[in-house]
Amino acid sequence: MGKGVSFLLLALVLCYGVTATMGYRGEKQWRKERERREEEMEPEEEEQEESESRKSWFLMPKSRPVMTTDAGEMRMVRSPGGRIVDKPLHMGFITMEPQSLFIPQYLDSSLILFVRTGEARVGCIYKDEMVERRLKIGDVYHIPAGSTFYILNPGEGQRLHIICSIDPSESLNLDTFQSFFIGGGTHPTSVLAGFGPETLSTAFNVSMSKLEEIMRGQQEGPIVHVTKSHAPSIWTKLSQLQEQDRLKQVKRMVQGEADEEEKEWSWWKLFGIFSGNERRIFGYKAPDSYNIYKRKADFKNDYGWSVAVDGSVYKPFKHSGTGVYLVNLTAGSMMAPHVNPRATEYGIVLRGTGRIQIVYPNGTLAMDARVREGDVFWVPRYFAFCQIASRSSPFEFFGFTTTSDKNRPQFLVGANSLLHTFNTPELAAAFGVTEERMRRFINAQKEAVILPSASAAPPDEDLKGREEKSEDEGPKVIRNFGDQMIMGFD
């Protein structure tokens, strides 16, 4: 008997040692991740990060300009790195002035576009065919890596704001992503410019002087105005036509039925070269966009609703390996603590203010941060978390998940929680209480998924104080995305 007890004690000591070692290694990994993040920060930000400590480790407040012109800009938030990220996913923010064009290009990363405000015309090559889709508020649209595309804001008085995911899984790892511009001149430079003049002159069957005019004419950057006052060109004329008329006109140009000025204009020829089949360039057999606001809520009660779009709903997502979601919480309500067993989640606050809590695997609080419009956050796969709306207004957030399959979040609290499913004597024993007491504890909450939680909701004055403080902290994503991102649109 004594030997048996000694053996049991020895086993317990060994288990404790293994647990402590695993915990130590985990802490080393977290520390390493934090050190990497701090190295990218400016001195002022590092001081603020010290004061915030763990409270905002899963917020991504820094967006960096990628492309900036008079006609618009693209900013990006880099995906966090490290072993806990199952799939890196950058978030981009595109702002385009009325009647502007994001010129034809292809990327080494796939994009999912979400139109926040305004309208867009997106043209791209799909299976050797040129297609154009008109996108409006709430539309999502997938552009595969390597597919040549353009984005046009045809509106006369409305800025276009797009939130996009940038999946670098197929990238060249030259940077966060790499653009290959088809159209261009001296700024940006077209990929064609790397070929010798004789090669291009022969390939296009034009004179050297005409080649020079085309290859050096563009100097306005990746996003250009297409109004007559800024850029009187063939593109300006085409952009003002209806879709069917515009495609017919371009088809005439490609087939050699256009006048001399149109023949000299080369972007659509370039589309034909890169598609490999000019005769099929104007087909329409391509996926359409999908409007997330028109989808019936996957869950809805008196306290809010949630919608998810995966590959079973929108087929292009099957190839991207990415899904999207949209959640709206009424004032003071809570998305119950839950876990995403299949995906990392990246989100941005679209409207309102609230609070996000994330928990480490060892049961300690990883983050308890108050967030507002424009803040970007991420939640690693398997990590437990919840979102809580402030007491004064609804809380809406949109985001991307790193799976195109049904995510099937596992709720830890509520009428549909794991505890209800796992309500067994073993569960009561794990908590060290009687079965009756465990049953009463679990059944106290009658609501599921989205819960009333006025006591847990952050007071508005705290958020107001944070907003006042943030004026001195430097630009947040909402300001980088333009003053009209969420509030006060024209």
mmCIF file of all heavy atoms in Angstrom, residues 37 47 66 70 106 113 124 139 150 159 178 191 200 211 219 236 239 248 266 335 338 341 352 355 398 446 477:
data_model
loop_
_atom_site.group_PDB
_atom_site.id
_atom_site.type_symbol
_atom_site.label_atom_id
_atom_site.label_comp_id
_atom_site.label_asym_id
_atom_site.label_seq_id
_atom_site.Cartn_x
_atom_site.Cartn_y
_atom_site.Cartn_z
ATOM 1 N N ARG A 37 6.327 42.424 -31.817
ATOM 2 C CA ARG A 37 5.379 43.507 -32.061
ATOM 3 C C ARG A 37 5.948 44.842 -31.595
ATOM 4 O O ARG A 37 5.799 45.861 -32.250
ATOM 5 C CB ARG A 37 4.062 43.205 -31.341
ATOM 6 C CG ARG A 37 2.958 44.193 -31.669
ATOM 7 C CD ARG A 37 1.683 43.768 -30.980
ATOM 8 N NE ARG A 37 0.637 44.737 -31.295
ATOM 9 C CZ ARG A 37 -0.235 45.182 -30.428
ATOM 10 N NH1 ARG A 37 -0.212 44.763 -29.192
ATOM 11 N NH2 ARG A 37 -1.163 46.039 -30.778
ATOM 12 N N GLU A 47 5.601 53.320 -25.265
ATOM 13 C CA GLU A 47 5.241 53.766 -23.921
ATOM 14 C C GLU A 47 3.764 53.511 -23.655
ATOM 15 O O GLU A 47 3.382 53.062 -22.572
ATOM 16 C CB GLU A 47 5.542 55.264 -23.783
ATOM 17 C CG GLU A 47 7.037 55.569 -23.783
ATOM 18 C CD GLU A 47 7.292 57.061 -23.706
ATOM 19 O OE1 GLU A 47 6.303 57.814 -23.493
ATOM 20 O OE2 GLU A 47 8.445 57.478 -23.850
ATOM 21 N N VAL A 66 -0.257 51.997 -48.213
ATOM 22 C CA VAL A 66 0.364 51.155 -49.236
ATOM 23 C C VAL A 66 0.443 51.907 -50.553
ATOM 24 O O VAL A 66 1.457 51.858 -51.249
ATOM 25 C CB VAL A 66 -0.435 49.848 -49.416
ATOM 26 C CG1 VAL A 66 0.201 48.970 -50.493
ATOM 27 C CG2 VAL A 66 -0.521 49.081 -48.108
ATOM 28 N N ASP A 70 -3.829 61.567 -55.218
ATOM 29 C CA ASP A 70 -4.887 62.563 -55.053
ATOM 30 C C ASP A 70 -6.274 61.951 -55.207
ATOM 31 O O ASP A 70 -7.254 62.487 -54.697
ATOM 32 C CB ASP A 70 -4.728 63.690 -56.087
ATOM 33 C CG ASP A 70 -3.499 64.546 -55.811
ATOM 34 O OD1 ASP A 70 -3.016 64.521 -54.660
ATOM 35 O OD2 ASP A 70 -3.032 65.216 -56.747
ATOM 36 N N TYR A 106 -2.638 42.826 -61.139
ATOM 37 C CA TYR A 106 -2.926 41.554 -60.480
ATOM 38 C C TYR A 106 -2.012 41.441 -59.267
ATOM 39 O O TYR A 106 -0.964 42.101 -59.186
ATOM 40 C CB TYR A 106 -2.774 40.357 -61.431
ATOM 41 C CG TYR A 106 -1.384 40.128 -61.985
ATOM 42 C CD1 TYR A 106 -0.488 39.257 -61.351
ATOM 43 C CD2 TYR A 106 -0.963 40.739 -63.159
ATOM 44 C CE1 TYR A 106 0.780 39.034 -61.866
ATOM 45 C CE2 TYR A 106 0.300 40.527 -63.681
ATOM 46 C CZ TYR A 106 1.171 39.668 -63.025
ATOM 47 O OH TYR A 106 2.427 39.452 -63.535
ATOM 48 N N LEU A 113 -13.418 41.578 -51.226
ATOM 49 C CA LEU A 113 -13.843 42.973 -51.079
ATOM 50 C C LEU A 113 -15.180 43.019 -50.352
ATOM 51 O O LEU A 113 -16.076 42.220 -50.616
ATOM 52 C CB LEU A 113 -13.993 43.636 -52.445
ATOM 53 C CG LEU A 113 -12.814 43.534 -53.419
ATOM 54 C CD1 LEU A 113 -13.173 44.245 -54.721
ATOM 55 C CD2 LEU A 113 -11.542 44.116 -52.815
ATOM 56 N N CYS A 124 -12.671 42.110 -63.847
ATOM 57 C CA CYS A 124 -11.564 41.178 -63.674
ATOM 58 C C CYS A 124 -11.655 40.082 -64.717
ATOM 59 O O CYS A 124 -12.671 39.927 -65.411
ATOM 60 C CB CYS A 124 -11.560 40.581 -62.274
ATOM 61 S SG CYS A 124 -12.937 39.496 -61.896
ATOM 62 N N ASP A 139 -22.068 44.343 -50.359
ATOM 63 C CA ASP A 139 -21.634 43.287 -51.269
ATOM 64 C C ASP A 139 -20.238 42.791 -50.907
ATOM 65 O O ASP A 139 -19.349 43.584 -50.553
ATOM 66 C CB ASP A 139 -21.620 43.787 -52.714
ATOM 67 C CG ASP A 139 -22.997 43.768 -53.353
ATOM 68 O OD1 ASP A 139 -23.902 43.132 -52.781
ATOM 69 O OD2 ASP A 139 -23.166 44.385 -54.422
ATOM 70 N N TYR A 150 -9.590 45.653 -62.040
ATOM 71 C CA TYR A 150 -9.593 47.085 -61.761
ATOM 72 C C TYR A 150 -10.794 47.381 -60.882
ATOM 73 O O TYR A 150 -11.744 46.598 -60.795
ATOM 74 C CB TYR A 150 -9.645 47.929 -63.048
ATOM 75 C CG TYR A 150 -10.921 47.770 -63.840
ATOM 76 C CD1 TYR A 150 -12.080 48.473 -63.506
ATOM 77 C CD2 TYR A 150 -10.975 46.914 -64.940
ATOM 78 C CE1 TYR A 150 -13.259 48.318 -64.220
ATOM 79 C CE2 TYR A 150 -12.152 46.755 -65.667
ATOM 80 C CZ TYR A 150 -13.280 47.461 -65.305
ATOM 81 O OH TYR A 150 -14.446 47.304 -66.013
ATOM 82 N N ARG A 159 -17.795 59.119 -52.033
ATOM 83 C CA ARG A 159 -16.560 58.356 -51.876
ATOM 84 C C ARG A 159 -16.878 56.866 -51.768
ATOM 85 O O ARG A 159 -17.921 56.477 -51.279
ATOM 86 C CB ARG A 159 -15.805 58.793 -50.620
ATOM 87 C CG ARG A 159 -15.008 60.074 -50.774
ATOM 88 C CD ARG A 159 -14.265 60.349 -49.488
ATOM 89 N NE ARG A 159 -13.423 61.535 -49.596
ATOM 90 C CZ ARG A 159 -12.732 62.054 -48.576
ATOM 91 N NH1 ARG A 159 -12.818 61.494 -47.377
ATOM 92 N NH2 ARG A 159 -11.985 63.111 -48.753
ATOM 93 N N GLN A 178 2.240 41.786 -53.228
ATOM 94 C CA GLN A 178 2.916 42.441 -54.328
ATOM 95 C C GLN A 178 1.938 42.717 -55.453
ATOM 96 O O GLN A 178 1.230 41.813 -55.911
ATOM 97 C CB GLN A 178 4.062 41.578 -54.851
ATOM 98 C CG GLN A 178 4.838 42.172 -55.996
ATOM 99 C CD GLN A 178 5.540 43.455 -55.605
ATOM 100 O OE1 GLN A 178 6.215 43.502 -54.583
ATOM 101 N NE2 GLN A 178 5.383 44.499 -56.401
ATOM 102 N N VAL A 191 4.353 46.284 -65.587
ATOM 103 C CA VAL A 191 5.272 45.143 -65.658
ATOM 104 C C VAL A 191 5.836 44.992 -67.069
ATOM 105 O O VAL A 191 6.921 44.420 -67.256
ATOM 106 C CB VAL A 191 4.566 43.832 -65.234
ATOM 107 C CG1 VAL A 191 4.225 43.855 -63.766
ATOM 108 C CG2 VAL A 191 3.328 43.566 -66.066
ATOM 109 N N LEU A 200 8.575 44.927 -77.247
ATOM 110 C CA LEU A 200 7.205 45.414 -77.105
ATOM 111 C C LEU A 200 6.658 45.959 -78.415
ATOM 112 O O LEU A 200 5.481 45.782 -78.732
ATOM 113 C CB LEU A 200 7.144 46.491 -76.021
ATOM 114 C CG LEU A 200 7.388 46.021 -74.580
ATOM 115 C CD1 LEU A 200 7.314 47.206 -73.619
ATOM 116 C CD2 LEU A 200 6.385 44.963 -74.179
ATOM 117 N N LEU A 211 4.689 53.450 -78.986
ATOM 118 C CA LEU A 211 4.980 52.679 -77.784
ATOM 119 C C LEU A 211 5.445 53.597 -76.668
ATOM 120 O O LEU A 211 5.029 53.470 -75.509
ATOM 121 C CB LEU A 211 6.050 51.630 -78.085
ATOM 122 C CG LEU A 211 6.488 50.782 -76.895
ATOM 123 C CD1 LEU A 211 5.359 49.856 -76.467
ATOM 124 C CD2 LEU A 211 7.741 49.966 -77.257
ATOM 125 N N GLN A 219 1.315 59.111 -65.020
ATOM 126 C CA GLN A 219 2.174 59.594 -63.948
ATOM 127 C C GLN A 219 1.402 59.893 -62.670
ATOM 128 O O GLN A 219 1.961 60.445 -61.720
ATOM 129 C CB GLN A 219 2.903 60.877 -64.408
ATOM 130 C CG GLN A 219 3.739 60.710 -65.657
ATOM 131 C CD GLN A 219 4.368 62.015 -66.086
ATOM 132 O OE1 GLN A 219 4.447 62.972 -65.315
ATOM 133 N NE2 GLN A 219 4.833 62.063 -67.327
ATOM 134 N N THR A 236 -11.955 57.744 -69.723
ATOM 135 C CA THR A 236 -12.988 58.649 -69.234
ATOM 136 C C THR A 236 -14.276 58.458 -70.030
ATOM 137 O O THR A 236 -15.367 58.356 -69.471
ATOM 138 C CB THR A 236 -12.519 60.109 -69.356
ATOM 139 O OG1 THR A 236 -11.325 60.274 -68.589
ATOM 140 C CG2 THR A 236 -13.584 61.064 -68.849
ATOM 141 N N SER A 239 -15.850 55.055 -69.153
ATOM 142 C CA SER A 239 -16.395 54.955 -67.796
ATOM 143 C C SER A 239 -17.758 55.609 -67.681
ATOM 144 O O SER A 239 -18.529 55.299 -66.780
ATOM 145 C CB SER A 239 -15.427 55.596 -66.788
ATOM 146 O OG SER A 239 -15.361 56.998 -66.998
ATOM 147 N N LYS A 248 -19.336 46.696 -75.247
ATOM 148 C CA LYS A 248 -19.424 46.628 -76.698
ATOM 149 C C LYS A 248 -18.372 47.523 -77.346
ATOM 150 O O LYS A 248 -17.735 47.156 -78.342
ATOM 151 C CB LYS A 248 -20.817 47.065 -77.156
ATOM 152 C CG LYS A 248 -21.915 46.040 -76.864
ATOM 153 C CD LYS A 248 -23.273 46.558 -77.328
ATOM 154 C CE LYS A 248 -24.386 45.565 -77.006
ATOM 155 N NZ LYS A 248 -25.722 46.086 -77.424
ATOM 156 N N SER A 266 -4.108 51.204 -74.929
ATOM 157 C CA SER A 266 -3.659 49.816 -74.877
ATOM 158 C C SER A 266 -4.178 48.981 -73.721
ATOM 159 O O SER A 266 -3.980 47.780 -73.721
ATOM 160 C CB SER A 266 -2.128 49.798 -74.815
ATOM 161 O OG SER A 266 -1.683 50.346 -73.585
ATOM 162 N N MET A 335 -22.415 38.978 -26.854
ATOM 163 C CA MET A 335 -22.216 37.712 -27.555
ATOM 164 C C MET A 335 -21.568 36.769 -26.549
ATOM 165 O O MET A 335 -20.463 37.027 -26.060
ATOM 166 C CB MET A 335 -21.316 37.903 -28.779
ATOM 167 C CG MET A 335 -20.968 36.623 -29.515
ATOM 168 S SD MET A 335 -22.339 35.889 -30.426
ATOM 169 C CE MET A 335 -22.376 36.920 -31.894
ATOM 170 N N HIS A 338 -17.469 32.200 -26.209
ATOM 171 C CA HIS A 338 -17.452 31.083 -27.139
ATOM 172 C C HIS A 338 -16.063 30.866 -27.705
ATOM 173 O O HIS A 338 -15.139 31.656 -27.467
ATOM 174 C CB HIS A 338 -18.469 31.300 -28.264
ATOM 175 C CG HIS A 338 -18.222 32.512 -29.096
ATOM 176 N ND1 HIS A 338 -18.450 33.808 -28.641
ATOM 177 C CD2 HIS A 338 -17.773 32.649 -30.372
ATOM 178 C CE1 HIS A 338 -18.164 34.675 -29.592
ATOM 179 N NE2 HIS A 338 -17.739 33.999 -30.646
ATOM 180 N N PRO A 341 -13.475 26.760 -33.105
ATOM 181 C CA PRO A 341 -12.589 25.598 -33.179
ATOM 182 C C PRO A 341 -11.918 25.403 -34.535
ATOM 183 O O PRO A 341 -11.014 24.581 -34.658
ATOM 184 C CB PRO A 341 -13.544 24.431 -32.893
ATOM 185 C CG PRO A 341 -14.869 24.899 -33.392
ATOM 186 C CD PRO A 341 -14.899 26.382 -33.157
ATOM 187 N N GLY A 352 -20.803 51.909 -33.347
ATOM 188 C CA GLY A 352 -20.992 51.799 -31.911
ATOM 189 C C GLY A 352 -19.697 51.587 -31.146
ATOM 190 O O GLY A 352 -18.591 51.653 -31.682
ATOM 191 N N ARG A 355 -16.867 46.308 -25.901
ATOM 192 C CA ARG A 355 -15.773 45.730 -25.132
ATOM 193 C C ARG A 355 -15.525 44.314 -25.644
ATOM 194 O O ARG A 355 -16.473 43.578 -25.950
ATOM 195 C CB ARG A 355 -16.187 45.710 -23.670
ATOM 196 C CG ARG A 355 -15.195 45.203 -22.659
ATOM 197 C CD ARG A 355 -15.805 45.460 -21.297
ATOM 198 N NE ARG A 355 -15.200 44.713 -20.221
ATOM 199 C CZ ARG A 355 -15.716 44.629 -19.005
ATOM 200 N NH1 ARG A 355 -16.864 45.228 -18.740
ATOM 201 N NH2 ARG A 355 -15.102 43.943 -18.067
ATOM 202 N N PHE A 398 -17.813 43.650 -38.313
ATOM 203 C CA PHE A 398 -17.699 42.811 -39.502
ATOM 204 C C PHE A 398 -16.301 42.215 -39.521
ATOM 205 O O PHE A 398 -15.355 42.807 -39.012
ATOM 206 C CB PHE A 398 -17.930 43.661 -40.758
ATOM 207 C CG PHE A 398 -17.508 42.986 -42.041
ATOM 208 C CD1 PHE A 398 -18.389 42.157 -42.716
ATOM 209 C CD2 PHE A 398 -16.240 43.188 -42.562
ATOM 210 C CE1 PHE A 398 -18.006 41.532 -43.904
ATOM 211 C CE2 PHE A 398 -15.846 42.573 -43.740
ATOM 212 C CZ PHE A 398 -16.734 41.743 -44.413
ATOM 213 N N LYS A 446 -31.496 31.474 -19.540
ATOM 214 C CA LYS A 446 -32.499 30.939 -20.460
ATOM 215 C C LYS A 446 -32.229 31.333 -21.911
ATOM 216 O O LYS A 446 -32.762 30.723 -22.828
ATOM 217 C CB LYS A 446 -33.896 31.429 -20.067
ATOM 218 C CG LYS A 446 -34.287 31.099 -18.638
ATOM 219 C CD LYS A 446 -34.270 29.606 -18.363
ATOM 220 C CE LYS A 446 -34.715 29.300 -16.939
ATOM 221 N NZ LYS A 446 -34.624 27.838 -16.635
ATOM 222 N N VAL A 477 -7.272 53.461 -37.151
ATOM 223 C CA VAL A 477 -7.728 52.964 -38.441
ATOM 224 C C VAL A 477 -8.862 53.804 -38.990
ATOM 225 O O VAL A 477 -8.915 54.119 -40.166
ATOM 226 C CB VAL A 477 -8.169 51.490 -38.321
ATOM 227 C CG1 VAL A 477 -8.835 51.036 -39.599
ATOM 228 C CG2 VAL A 477 -6.963 50.616 -38.027
#
